[in-house]
């Protein structure tokens, strides 16, 4: 270990220090949420500045187990934005329910540091540690409302299935280590290249390892048929947490996929891409079909997040079929999805500011008369989730489908996948627009009082709105960053 | 002294099969048990099976390469630490839900199924 190692890893170290700092500040001034929030946002700004300062270098640290490249920088900045927005949306909701803000922010920052470790991992064990560091605080956040039956129920389902899949994932790593002799991603990759070339033997144990890795990762991204934990975990969690869980760990798990499959296992792409394609087709179709029947908006968005996983997998399948644009599409989609989905959940959280307000469709009836600003914002986010131009969501889907069509020139099944994606996007419009119909055309059953929303919530909503619109009008702004990030791996 | 050592298998596959059996027992326990604590124990069993696989690979395949053999042992230690952290979080969640529901049986946690 030397100074350059520390420099390369400084954003990650800073994130941990900020999380610890929030705890210490809360210890010194208990219950003062202004102090905790100040440390959180100042700390996140420092972490972001460090990420930018260290980034783009393309260096490895700690004997090749940690890697800083433009992909790391892109993902780190995305994780920091997600955490900052979640920290902005949560205090109103938490305060009303007498839940501690400082602990929430500390746990959130630890989860973020885990995601950052994933983004920079060049070693399978570091990847596993990052994954654990990301999901363990996630379980805590899901059960953050510990006196609430739904919250703890969601947390235990999330925890049990999450740990189960971690064990499966780790078993896969064990076999890959045993068969290739290293946990370093580039060493595994070159060893697998020999196996594919026929100069090294393919053993059944290696196949077993690959299957286990695929299963473990499919659980983490909630791909069908490994998605059973998602609806309950998302519906039960406190609403700001649901927003975080549907984007943070999801993008984090895609970072695992990129580092693992696009890094270590790329030589065997022809072998595993068929599995990715099947997962993508099942995931988006089933996610959308079940979302159509949901009356609870949180549960509906949970199924819709499963469908979005499917779309992102289409981009990854296109990458595995040889199109770098697929990876670009996946990254663009991840960023667009993060902002629009966090925005949608922020609106739900704002409506649920008063305790006892459910997330059922009925809550949204006549919203435009009560809170026109929230109703219009929700409409924007839902249109973006549907993929209507000119919103961020449109270009996300556009790039993914474009890459799939390009990949279709060499692999005809990619064409089928592209068509299926378009059909799914059309079907999804039904359930998104149903909420809009409720907001604009239905009258509420009972008189509902209007709650005031804090400045932080409005700031956060402004950021998500601006990003959703700007990424829809000027996709080039992000596209440059995305394509440099994709080049780091491809 | 030698007779005791001879009882230890010198065959990598024996350890991998044992690891696979332990992992399967853990997975079966996780899927078949209804008690949250039992499910947690099953997951621990799976993680220990993984550790056995790591150690076996390190000891047999890479015993000639001191760095790889040491790497396997260090990985096992890291996995133990991660498993401990996971168990801590898991038990905390189990206690929280037990206070709400007064039962550790997971199939009674069905409030969200309409």
């Amino acid at each position: 270990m030397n100074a350059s190692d520390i420099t390369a890893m400084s954003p990650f170290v800073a994130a941990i220090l900020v999380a610890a700092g929030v705890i210490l500040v809360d210890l010194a001034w208990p219950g003062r949420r202004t102090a905790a929030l100040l440390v959180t946002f100042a700390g996140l700004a420092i972490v972001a500045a460090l990420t930018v300062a260290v980034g783009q270098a393309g260096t490895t640290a700690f004997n090749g187990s940690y890697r800083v490249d433009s992909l790391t920088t892109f993902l780190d900045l995305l994780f920091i934005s997600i955490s900052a927005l979640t920290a902005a949306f949560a205090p109103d909701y938490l305060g009303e329910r007498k839940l501690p803000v400082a602990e929430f922010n500390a746990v959130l920052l630890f989860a973020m540091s885990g995601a950052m470790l994933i983004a920079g991992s060049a070693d399978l064990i570091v990847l596993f540690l990052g994954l654990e560091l990301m999901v363990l605080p996630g379980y805590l956040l899901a059960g953050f409302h510990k006196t609430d039956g739904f919250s703890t129920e969601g947390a235990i389902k999330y925890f049990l299935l999450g740990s189960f899949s971690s064990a499966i994932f780790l078993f896969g790593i064990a076999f890959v280590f045993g068969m290739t002799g290293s946990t370093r991603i580039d060493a595994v990759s070159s060893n697998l290249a020999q196996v594919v070339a026929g100069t090294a033997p393919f053993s059944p144990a290696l196949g077993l390892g690959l299957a286990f890795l695929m299963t473990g990762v499919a659980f983490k991204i909630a791909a069908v048929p490994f998605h059973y934990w998602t609806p309950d975990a998302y519906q039960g969690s406190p609403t700001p947490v649901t927003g975080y869980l549907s984007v943070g760990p999801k993008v984090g798990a895609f970072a695992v996929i990129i580092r693992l499959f696009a890094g270590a296992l790329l030589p065997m792409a022809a072998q595993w891409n068929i599995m990715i394609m099947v997962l993508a087709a099942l995931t988006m179709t089933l996610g959308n079909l079940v979302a159509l029947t949901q009356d609870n908006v949180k549960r509906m968005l949970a199924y819709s997040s499963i469908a979005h996983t499917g779309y992102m997998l289409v981009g990854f399948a296109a990458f595995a079929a040889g199109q770098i644009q697929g990876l670009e599409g996946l990254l663009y989609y991840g960023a667009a999805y993060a902002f629009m989905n966090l925005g949608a959940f922020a609106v739900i959280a704002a409506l649920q500011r008063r305790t006892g307000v459910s997330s059922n469709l009925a809550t949204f009836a006549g919203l435009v008369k009560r809170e026109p600003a929230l109703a219009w914002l929700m409409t924007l986010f839902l249109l973006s989730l549907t993929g209507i131009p000119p919103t961020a969501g449109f270009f996300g889907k556009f790039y993914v489908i474009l890459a799939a069509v390009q990949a279709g020139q060499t692999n005809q099944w990619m064409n089928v996948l592209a068509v299926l994606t378009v059909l799914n996007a059309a079907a999804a419009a039904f359930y998104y627009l149903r909420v809009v119909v409720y907001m604009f055309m239905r009258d509420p059953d009972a008189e509902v009082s209007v709650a005031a929303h804090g400045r932080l919530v409005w700031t956060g909503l402004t950021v998500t709105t601006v990003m959703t619109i700007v990424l829809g009008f000027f996709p080039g702004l992000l596209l440059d960053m995305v394509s440099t990030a994709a080049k780091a791996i491809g | 002294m030698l007779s005791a050592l001879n009882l230890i298998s010198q065959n990598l596959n024996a350890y991998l099969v044992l690891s696979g059996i332990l992992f399967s027992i853990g997975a079966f326990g996780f899927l078949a048990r209804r008690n949250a604590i039992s499910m947690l124990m099953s997951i621990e069993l799976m993680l220990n099976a993984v550790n056995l696989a790591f150690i076996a690979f390190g000891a047999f395949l890479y015993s000639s390469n001191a760095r790889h053999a040491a790497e396997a042992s260090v990985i096992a230690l890291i996995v133990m630490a991660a498993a401990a952290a996971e168990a801590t979080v898991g038990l905390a969640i189990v206690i929280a839900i037990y206070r709400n529901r007064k039962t550790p049986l997971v199939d009674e946690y069905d409030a969200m199924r309409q």
Side-chain angles (χ1 to χ4, degrees):
Chain A
M1 189 172 80
N2 53 42
S4 67
D5 289 345
I6 299 289
T7 317
M9 227 184 183
S10 60
F12 169 73
V13 176
I16 299 245
L17 289 179
V18 173
V22 173
I23 296 178
L24 286 179
V25 164
D26 191 53
L27 199 66
W29 298 282
R32 290 279 296 279
R33 67 180 229 189
T34 326
L37 284 171
L38 210 65
V39 175
T40 306
F41 287 114
L44 281 173
I46 294 171
V47 176
L50 275 175
T51 306
V52 174
V54 171
Q56 317 290 349
T59 49
T60 56
F62 291 98
N63 212 357
S65 63
Y66 190 82
R67 183 183 158 91
V68 182
D69 53 28
S70 44
L71 182 67
T72 315
T73 312
F74 174 79
L75 288 170
D76 279 359
L77 289 177
L78 187 54
F79 294 136
I80 294 167
S81 320
I82 292 170
S83 306
L85 287 169
T86 308
F89 294 137
D92 270 15
Y93 185 97
L94 297 176
E96 197 69 17
R97 286 160 180 76
K98 305 270 183 301
L99 296 174
V101 172
E103 274 100 325
F104 181 89
N105 285 351
V107 175
L108 181 69
L109 287 166
F110 278 122
M112 182 189 80
S113 65
M116 291 170 73
L117 192 58
I118 293 174
S121 57
D123 186 289
L124 294 180
I125 294 302
V126 177
L127 196 68
F128 172 74
L129 278 180
L131 190 64
E132 286 292 286
L133 186 53
M134 177 178 74
V135 295
L136 285 181
Y139 307 144
L140 293 177
L141 289 177
F144 205 72
H145 201 172
K146 63 180 180 184
T147 54
D148 178 61
F150 283 171
S151 180
T152 43
E153 182 180 327
I156 192 140
K157 287 177 180 169
Y158 188 24
F159 168 77
L160 287 172
L161 270 301
S163 324
F164 183 60
S165 62
S166 291
I168 294 175
F169 183 75
L170 195 61
F171 205 46
I173 293 183
F175 276 96
V176 170
F177 165 71
M179 293 300 120
T180 62
S182 179
T183 54
R184 292 278 189 278
I185 280 173
D186 45 3
V188 170
S189 173
S190 59
N191 196 302
L192 287 182
Q194 289 173 12
V195 172
V196 173
T199 50
F202 179 82
S203 60
L206 188 58
L208 198 68
L210 293 185
F212 276 119
L213 285 176
M214 179 69 87
T215 311
V217 167
F219 263 111
K220 295 291 179 203
I221 55 168
V224 176
F226 306 104
H227 66 288
Y228 284 105
W229 55 272
T230 322
D232 283 345
Y234 285 13
Q235 188 192 345
S237 303
T239 309
V241 174
T242 312
Y244 165 74
L245 289 182
S246 66
V247 295
K250 172 132 357 204
V251 179
F254 268 100
V256 173
I257 290 197
I258 294 171
R259 284 292 181 207
L260 182 65
F261 285 88
L265 309 179
L266 191 60
M268 306 197 90
Q271 278 78 12
W272 50 256
N273 195 25
I274 183 73
M275 286 194 277
I276 295 273
M277 287 164 67
V278 171
L279 279 180
L282 282 177
T283 305
M284 59 189 173
T285 311
L286 200 111
N288 277 325
L289 284 182
V290 185
L292 285 171
T293 64
Q294 301 301 319
D295 286 326
N296 184 307
V297 178
K298 263 166 88 176
R299 206 173 173 84
M300 180 204 92
L301 285 176
Y303 280 107
S304 111
S305 91
I306 295 175
H308 285 283
T309 301
Y311 303 143
M312 289 191 244
L313 278 176
V314 172
F316 194 70
F319 169 73
Q323 294 293 329
I324 186 85
Q325 288 91 336
L327 193 56
E328 292 171 9
L330 165 64
L331 293 174
Y332 193 94
Y333 204 112
Y337 175 71
F339 290 112
M340 62 200 183
N341 212 43
L342 273 177
F345 273 105
V347 173
I348 306 178
L351 291 179
Q352 290 188 303
R353 166 139 200 212
R354 277 165 294 110
T355 47
V357 177
S358 80
S359 53
N360 279 332
L361 260 176
T363 306
F364 291 81
L367 186 68
V368 70
K369 294 196 188 92
R370 275 178 291 144
E371 308 199 37
L374 286 186
W376 282 106
L377 288 181
M378 188 69 176
T379 310
L380 171 76
F381 298 133
L382 290 174
L383 287 179
S384 182
L385 284 166
T386 318
I388 307 243
T391 53
F394 168 73
F395 279 103
K397 284 206 179 63
F398 176 74
Y399 289 132
V400 164
I401 294 170
L402 192 68
V405 171
Q406 282 169 343
Q409 289 164 356
T410 50
N411 182 344
Q412 54 177 348
W413 287 105
M414 286 306 299
N415 283 325
V416 179
L417 208 54
V419 172
L420 199 59
T421 313
V422 175
L423 289 179
N424 265 292
F430 282 106
Y431 59 82
Y432 289 127
L433 296 182
R434 198 150 73 110
V435 182
V436 179
V437 168
Y438 263 80
M439 289 192 297
F440 286 83
M441 295 177 190
R442 298 284 170 91
D443 290 320
D445 297 335
E447 204 55 35
V448 201
S449 61
V450 177
H453 308 297
R455 222 177 300 159
L456 268 177
V457 171
W458 286 119
T459 316
L461 276 172
T462 312
V463 173
T464 49
T465 310
V466 167
M467 290 306 285
T468 307
I469 295 174
V470 165
L471 292 186
F473 275 106
F474 310 106
L477 293 177
L478 191 66
L479 208 57
D480 291 343
M481 209 173 166
V482 161
S483 62
T484 20
K487 278 196 194 77
I489 199 112
Chain B
M1 173 216 158
L2 272 177
S3 62
L5 269 180
N6 287 339
L7 285 175
I8 300 171
S9 173
Q10 298 297 315
N11 182 356
L12 170 64
N13 284 340
Y15 292 94
L16 292 184
V17 167
L18 176 62
S19 161
I21 290 172
L22 283 176
F23 192 85
S24 310
I25 292 174
F28 176 78
F30 178 83
L31 297 170
R33 286 295 189 137
R34 302 162 60 219
N35 190 312
I37 302 286
S38 306
M39 293 171 84
L40 203 60
M41 287 161 65
S42 304
I43 292 170
E44 293 300 310
L45 190 58
M46 291 167 75
L47 288 173
N48 283 326
V50 174
N51 266 347
L52 184 61
F54 268 121
I55 296 291
F57 280 128
F60 285 92
L61 286 187
Y62 308 112
S63 53
S64 54
N65 184 334
R67 201 177 134 248
H68 277 116
E71 201 170 287
S73 312
V74 171
I75 291 171
L77 286 172
I78 291 174
V79 171
M80 281 183 205
E86 205 164 74
T88 313
V89 171
L91 286 172
I93 295 174
V94 171
I95 289 171
I97 194 162
Y98 188 82
R99 283 185 181 152
N100 289 328
R101 298 287 172 80
K102 306 285 175 240
T103 170
L105 301 180
V106 287
D107 48 2
E108 290 176 28
Y109 301 156
D110 55 359
M112 281 181 280
R113 298 262 158 77
Q114 290 97 352

